[in-house]
Short mmCIF file of all heavy atoms in Angstrom, two decimals:
data_model
loop_
_atom_site.label_atom_id
_atom_site.label_comp_id
_atom_site.label_asym_id
_atom_site.label_seq_id
_atom_site.Cartn_x
_atom_site.Cartn_y
_atom_site.Cartn_z
N ARG A 94 -38.90 -15.72 48.43
CA ARG A 94 -39.96 -15.77 49.43
C ARG A 94 -41.17 -14.96 48.97
O ARG A 94 -42.32 -15.36 49.18
CB ARG A 94 -39.45 -15.24 50.78
CG ARG A 94 -38.53 -16.24 51.51
CD ARG A 94 -37.89 -15.60 52.74
NE ARG A 94 -38.90 -15.11 53.68
CZ ARG A 94 -39.47 -15.85 54.63
NH1 ARG A 94 -39.13 -17.13 54.76
NH2 ARG A 94 -40.35 -15.32 55.45
N ASN A 95 -40.90 -13.82 48.34
CA ASN A 95 -41.98 -12.98 47.82
C ASN A 95 -42.74 -13.69 46.70
O ASN A 95 -43.98 -13.61 46.64
CB ASN A 95 -41.40 -11.66 47.31
CG ASN A 95 -42.46 -10.74 46.75
OD1 ASN A 95 -42.73 -10.74 45.54
ND2 ASN A 95 -43.06 -9.93 47.61
N VAL A 96 -42.00 -14.39 45.83
CA VAL A 96 -42.65 -15.13 44.75
C VAL A 96 -43.57 -16.21 45.31
O VAL A 96 -44.70 -16.41 44.84
CB VAL A 96 -41.59 -15.75 43.80
CG1 VAL A 96 -42.25 -16.72 42.82
CG2 VAL A 96 -40.85 -14.66 43.04
N GLU A 97 -43.11 -16.88 46.37
CA GLU A 97 -43.95 -17.91 46.99
C GLU A 97 -45.18 -17.29 47.66
O GLU A 97 -46.30 -17.80 47.54
CB GLU A 97 -43.14 -18.71 48.02
CG GLU A 97 -43.94 -19.83 48.65
CD GLU A 97 -43.10 -20.72 49.56
OE1 GLU A 97 -41.92 -20.40 49.79
OE2 GLU A 97 -43.66 -21.73 50.05
N GLU A 98 -44.97 -16.15 48.33
CA GLU A 98 -46.07 -15.50 49.04
C GLU A 98 -47.10 -14.91 48.08
O GLU A 98 -48.32 -15.08 48.27
CB GLU A 98 -45.52 -14.39 49.94
CG GLU A 98 -46.60 -13.61 50.67
CD GLU A 98 -46.04 -12.41 51.42
OE1 GLU A 98 -44.79 -12.27 51.51
OE2 GLU A 98 -46.85 -11.60 51.91
N LYS A 99 -46.64 -14.22 47.04
CA LYS A 99 -47.55 -13.49 46.16
C LYS A 99 -48.11 -14.35 45.02
O LYS A 99 -49.21 -14.10 44.54
CB LYS A 99 -46.82 -12.28 45.55
CG LYS A 99 -46.31 -11.28 46.58
CD LYS A 99 -47.44 -10.68 47.41
CE LYS A 99 -46.91 -9.62 48.37
NZ LYS A 99 -47.99 -9.06 49.22
N PHE A 100 -47.32 -15.34 44.57
CA PHE A 100 -47.74 -16.12 43.40
C PHE A 100 -47.98 -17.59 43.72
O PHE A 100 -48.42 -18.34 42.86
CB PHE A 100 -46.69 -16.00 42.29
CG PHE A 100 -46.51 -14.60 41.77
CD1 PHE A 100 -45.53 -13.77 42.31
CD2 PHE A 100 -47.32 -14.10 40.76
CE1 PHE A 100 -45.36 -12.47 41.84
CE2 PHE A 100 -47.16 -12.81 40.29
CZ PHE A 100 -46.19 -11.99 40.84
N GLY A 101 -47.64 -18.02 44.92
CA GLY A 101 -47.86 -19.41 45.31
C GLY A 101 -46.90 -20.39 44.65
O GLY A 101 -47.21 -21.58 44.55
N VAL A 102 -45.72 -19.91 44.22
CA VAL A 102 -44.73 -20.76 43.55
C VAL A 102 -43.47 -20.82 44.40
O VAL A 102 -42.83 -19.78 44.65
CB VAL A 102 -44.39 -20.24 42.14
CG1 VAL A 102 -43.32 -21.12 41.50
CG2 VAL A 102 -45.64 -20.19 41.27
N LYS A 103 -43.10 -22.01 44.85
CA LYS A 103 -41.88 -22.18 45.65
C LYS A 103 -40.71 -22.50 44.73
O LYS A 103 -40.75 -23.49 43.99
CB LYS A 103 -42.07 -23.32 46.66
CG LYS A 103 -40.89 -23.52 47.59
CD LYS A 103 -41.18 -24.61 48.60
CE LYS A 103 -40.00 -24.83 49.54
NZ LYS A 103 -39.72 -23.65 50.37
N ILE A 104 -39.69 -21.65 44.74
CA ILE A 104 -38.50 -21.85 43.90
C ILE A 104 -37.59 -22.86 44.59
O ILE A 104 -37.06 -22.59 45.67
CB ILE A 104 -37.75 -20.52 43.65
CG1 ILE A 104 -38.71 -19.47 43.05
CG2 ILE A 104 -36.55 -20.75 42.76
CD1 ILE A 104 -39.35 -19.87 41.76
N GLU A 105 -37.39 -24.00 43.96
CA GLU A 105 -36.68 -25.11 44.60
C GLU A 105 -35.22 -25.25 44.16
O GLU A 105 -34.50 -26.08 44.71
CB GLU A 105 -37.43 -26.42 44.33
CG GLU A 105 -38.83 -26.43 44.91
CD GLU A 105 -39.59 -27.70 44.56
OE1 GLU A 105 -39.46 -28.17 43.40
OE2 GLU A 105 -40.30 -28.21 45.43
N PHE A 106 -34.80 -24.48 43.19
CA PHE A 106 -33.42 -24.59 42.71
C PHE A 106 -32.57 -23.44 43.26
O PHE A 106 -33.12 -22.39 43.63
CB PHE A 106 -33.38 -24.62 41.18
CG PHE A 106 -34.10 -23.48 40.51
CD1 PHE A 106 -33.48 -22.26 40.30
CD2 PHE A 106 -35.42 -23.64 40.09
CE1 PHE A 106 -34.15 -21.21 39.70
CE2 PHE A 106 -36.10 -22.60 39.48
CZ PHE A 106 -35.46 -21.38 39.29
N PRO A 107 -31.25 -23.59 43.33
CA PRO A 107 -30.39 -22.55 43.88
C PRO A 107 -30.30 -21.32 42.98
O PRO A 107 -30.37 -21.42 41.75
CB PRO A 107 -29.01 -23.23 43.98
CG PRO A 107 -29.26 -24.69 43.83
CD PRO A 107 -30.49 -24.81 42.99
N VAL A 108 -30.14 -20.16 43.62
CA VAL A 108 -29.89 -18.90 42.89
C VAL A 108 -28.56 -18.35 43.37
O VAL A 108 -28.37 -18.09 44.57
CB VAL A 108 -31.01 -17.88 43.14
CG1 VAL A 108 -30.83 -16.68 42.20
CG2 VAL A 108 -32.39 -18.51 42.95
N ILE A 109 -27.64 -18.19 42.43
CA ILE A 109 -26.28 -17.73 42.76
C ILE A 109 -26.25 -16.23 43.01
O ILE A 109 -26.80 -15.45 42.22
CB ILE A 109 -25.32 -18.08 41.61
CG1 ILE A 109 -25.19 -19.60 41.45
CG2 ILE A 109 -23.95 -17.44 41.83
CD1 ILE A 109 -24.46 -20.02 40.19
N ALA A 110 -25.61 -15.82 44.10
CA ALA A 110 -25.39 -14.41 44.40
C ALA A 110 -24.01 -14.04 43.87
O ALA A 110 -23.00 -14.43 44.45
CB ALA A 110 -25.47 -14.17 45.91
N ASP A 111 -23.97 -13.30 42.77
CA ASP A 111 -22.71 -13.03 42.07
C ASP A 111 -22.31 -11.56 42.20
O ASP A 111 -22.03 -10.89 41.20
CB ASP A 111 -22.87 -13.43 40.60
CG ASP A 111 -21.55 -13.58 39.87
OD1 ASP A 111 -20.55 -13.97 40.52
OD2 ASP A 111 -21.49 -13.28 38.67
N LEU A 112 -22.28 -11.06 43.43
CA LEU A 112 -21.99 -9.65 43.64
C LEU A 112 -20.64 -9.22 43.09
O LEU A 112 -20.47 -8.09 42.63
CB LEU A 112 -22.07 -9.32 45.14
CG LEU A 112 -23.48 -9.12 45.72
CD1 LEU A 112 -23.40 -8.93 47.23
CD2 LEU A 112 -24.15 -7.91 45.08
N ASN A 113 -19.66 -10.11 43.14
CA ASN A 113 -18.32 -9.75 42.62
C ASN A 113 -18.20 -9.98 41.11
O ASN A 113 -17.14 -9.79 40.53
CB ASN A 113 -17.21 -10.52 43.36
CG ASN A 113 -17.33 -12.03 43.17
OD1 ASN A 113 -18.18 -12.52 42.42
ND2 ASN A 113 -16.47 -12.78 43.86
N LYS A 114 -19.29 -10.43 40.48
CA LYS A 114 -19.37 -10.64 39.03
C LYS A 114 -18.40 -11.71 38.53
O LYS A 114 -18.08 -11.76 37.35
CB LYS A 114 -19.16 -9.33 38.26
CG LYS A 114 -20.23 -8.30 38.55
CD LYS A 114 -20.06 -7.05 37.70
CE LYS A 114 -19.04 -6.13 38.30
NZ LYS A 114 -19.02 -4.82 37.65
N ASP A 115 -17.93 -12.56 39.43
CA ASP A 115 -16.97 -13.59 39.05
C ASP A 115 -17.53 -14.54 37.99
O ASP A 115 -16.92 -14.75 36.94
CB ASP A 115 -16.55 -14.39 40.29
CG ASP A 115 -15.60 -15.53 39.95
OD1 ASP A 115 -14.55 -15.26 39.33
OD2 ASP A 115 -15.91 -16.68 40.30
N VAL A 116 -18.71 -15.10 38.25
CA VAL A 116 -19.31 -16.04 37.30
C VAL A 116 -19.77 -15.31 36.04
O VAL A 116 -19.57 -15.78 34.92
CB VAL A 116 -20.48 -16.80 37.95
CG1 VAL A 116 -21.06 -17.82 36.96
CG2 VAL A 116 -20.04 -17.50 39.22
N ALA A 117 -20.37 -14.14 36.23
CA ALA A 117 -20.86 -13.37 35.08
C ALA A 117 -19.75 -13.03 34.10
O ALA A 117 -19.94 -13.10 32.87
CB ALA A 117 -21.53 -12.08 35.57
N MET A 118 -18.58 -12.70 34.61
CA MET A 118 -17.45 -12.37 33.73
C MET A 118 -16.90 -13.63 33.06
O MET A 118 -16.56 -13.62 31.88
CB MET A 118 -16.35 -11.68 34.54
CG MET A 118 -16.74 -10.32 35.08
SD MET A 118 -17.13 -9.11 33.78
CE MET A 118 -15.50 -8.79 33.13
N LYS A 119 -16.83 -14.73 33.80
CA LYS A 119 -16.32 -15.97 33.23
C LYS A 119 -17.19 -16.47 32.09
O LYS A 119 -16.71 -17.10 31.14
CB LYS A 119 -16.22 -17.06 34.30
CG LYS A 119 -15.06 -16.89 35.27
CD LYS A 119 -15.05 -18.01 36.30
CE LYS A 119 -13.85 -17.89 37.23
NZ LYS A 119 -13.84 -18.96 38.26
N TYR A 120 -18.49 -16.21 32.19
CA TYR A 120 -19.43 -16.72 31.19
C TYR A 120 -19.90 -15.65 30.20
O TYR A 120 -20.75 -15.93 29.36
CB TYR A 120 -20.63 -17.35 31.89
CG TYR A 120 -20.36 -18.74 32.40
CD1 TYR A 120 -19.72 -18.95 33.61
CD2 TYR A 120 -20.70 -19.87 31.65
CE1 TYR A 120 -19.44 -20.22 34.09
CE2 TYR A 120 -20.43 -21.15 32.11
CZ TYR A 120 -19.80 -21.32 33.33
OH TYR A 120 -19.53 -22.60 33.78
N GLY A 121 -19.35 -14.43 30.28
CA GLY A 121 -19.73 -13.39 29.33
C GLY A 121 -21.19 -13.04 29.41
O GLY A 121 -21.87 -12.87 28.39
N MET A 122 -21.71 -12.90 30.62
CA MET A 122 -23.15 -12.65 30.80
C MET A 122 -23.53 -11.18 30.76
O MET A 122 -24.73 -10.85 30.74
CB MET A 122 -23.61 -13.24 32.13
CG MET A 122 -23.57 -14.77 32.18
SD MET A 122 -23.92 -15.37 33.84
CE MET A 122 -24.12 -17.13 33.52
N ILE A 123 -22.55 -10.29 30.78
CA ILE A 123 -22.83 -8.86 30.75
C ILE A 123 -22.55 -8.33 29.34
O ILE A 123 -21.43 -8.43 28.85
CB ILE A 123 -21.99 -8.09 31.78
CG1 ILE A 123 -22.25 -8.64 33.19
CG2 ILE A 123 -22.30 -6.60 31.73
CD1 ILE A 123 -21.37 -8.04 34.25
N MET A 124 -23.55 -7.79 28.71
CA MET A 124 -23.42 -7.33 27.34
C MET A 124 -22.87 -5.90 27.28
O MET A 124 -23.23 -5.05 28.10
CB MET A 124 -24.77 -7.36 26.63
CG MET A 124 -25.34 -8.75 26.44
SD MET A 124 -24.40 -9.76 25.26
CE MET A 124 -23.47 -10.83 26.39
N PRO A 125 -21.98 -5.61 26.30
CA PRO A 125 -21.49 -4.25 26.12
C PRO A 125 -22.66 -3.30 25.87
O PRO A 125 -23.59 -3.61 25.13
CB PRO A 125 -20.61 -4.36 24.87
CG PRO A 125 -20.22 -5.79 24.80
CD PRO A 125 -21.38 -6.56 25.35
N GLY A 126 -22.64 -2.15 26.52
CA GLY A 126 -23.70 -1.18 26.33
C GLY A 126 -24.83 -1.30 27.33
O GLY A 126 -25.62 -0.38 27.50
N GLU A 127 -24.91 -2.47 28.01
CA GLU A 127 -25.92 -2.63 29.04
C GLU A 127 -25.35 -2.18 30.39
O GLU A 127 -24.19 -1.87 30.51
CB GLU A 127 -26.37 -4.11 29.13
CG GLU A 127 -26.96 -4.68 27.86
CD GLU A 127 -28.36 -4.14 27.57
OE1 GLU A 127 -28.89 -3.39 28.42
OE2 GLU A 127 -28.90 -4.46 26.50
N SER A 128 -26.21 -2.13 31.38
CA SER A 128 -25.74 -1.81 32.72
C SER A 128 -24.65 -2.78 33.13
O SER A 128 -24.73 -3.97 32.85
CB SER A 128 -26.91 -1.91 33.71
OG SER A 128 -26.43 -1.96 35.04
N ASP A 129 -23.61 -2.27 33.80
CA ASP A 129 -22.51 -3.16 34.18
C ASP A 129 -22.87 -4.01 35.39
O ASP A 129 -22.04 -4.77 35.89
CB ASP A 129 -21.21 -2.37 34.43
CG ASP A 129 -21.35 -1.36 35.56
OD1 ASP A 129 -22.43 -1.29 36.18
OD2 ASP A 129 -20.38 -0.63 35.82
N THR A 130 -24.09 -3.88 35.89
CA THR A 130 -24.53 -4.73 37.00
C THR A 130 -25.73 -5.59 36.63
O THR A 130 -26.29 -6.27 37.49
CB THR A 130 -24.88 -3.89 38.24
OG1 THR A 130 -25.95 -2.99 37.91
CG2 THR A 130 -23.68 -3.10 38.73
N SER A 131 -26.14 -5.55 35.37
CA SER A 131 -27.28 -6.37 34.93
C SER A 131 -26.80 -7.44 33.97
O SER A 131 -26.28 -7.13 32.90
CB SER A 131 -28.35 -5.52 34.25
OG SER A 131 -28.99 -4.67 35.18
N THR A 132 -26.96 -8.70 34.35
CA THR A 132 -26.61 -9.78 33.45
C THR A 132 -27.72 -9.94 32.41
O THR A 132 -28.89 -9.70 32.68
CB THR A 132 -26.43 -11.10 34.22
OG1 THR A 132 -27.54 -11.28 35.11
CG2 THR A 132 -25.14 -11.09 35.01
N SER A 133 -27.34 -10.37 31.22
CA SER A 133 -28.31 -10.64 30.17
C SER A 133 -29.08 -11.92 30.50
O SER A 133 -28.78 -12.61 31.47
CB SER A 133 -27.60 -10.81 28.82
OG SER A 133 -26.73 -11.92 28.89
N ARG A 134 -30.07 -12.23 29.68
CA ARG A 134 -30.81 -13.49 29.86
C ARG A 134 -30.05 -14.58 29.08
O ARG A 134 -30.40 -14.91 27.96
CB ARG A 134 -32.24 -13.34 29.36
CG ARG A 134 -33.02 -12.28 30.08
CD ARG A 134 -34.49 -12.25 29.70
NE ARG A 134 -35.10 -11.01 30.15
CZ ARG A 134 -35.45 -10.74 31.41
NH1 ARG A 134 -35.27 -11.67 32.34
NH2 ARG A 134 -35.98 -9.59 31.74
#
Side-chain angles (χ1 to χ4, degrees):
R94 285 172 59 86
N95 180 267
V96 170
E97 183 174 5
E98 177 187 352
K99 300 299 183 182
F100 297 93
V102 177
K103 183 177 180 64
I104 305 302
E105 298 177 320
F106 53 85
V108 189
I109 295 169
D111 197 32
L112 280 175
N113 62 5
K114 297 184 279 190
D115 177 56
V116 182
M118 294 298 288
K119 285 180 177 179
Y120 281 82
M122 292 173 170
I123 302 174
M124 294 292 102
E127 300 287 356
S128 164
D129 61 2
T130 60
S131 291
T132 48
S133 62
R134 300 187 195 283

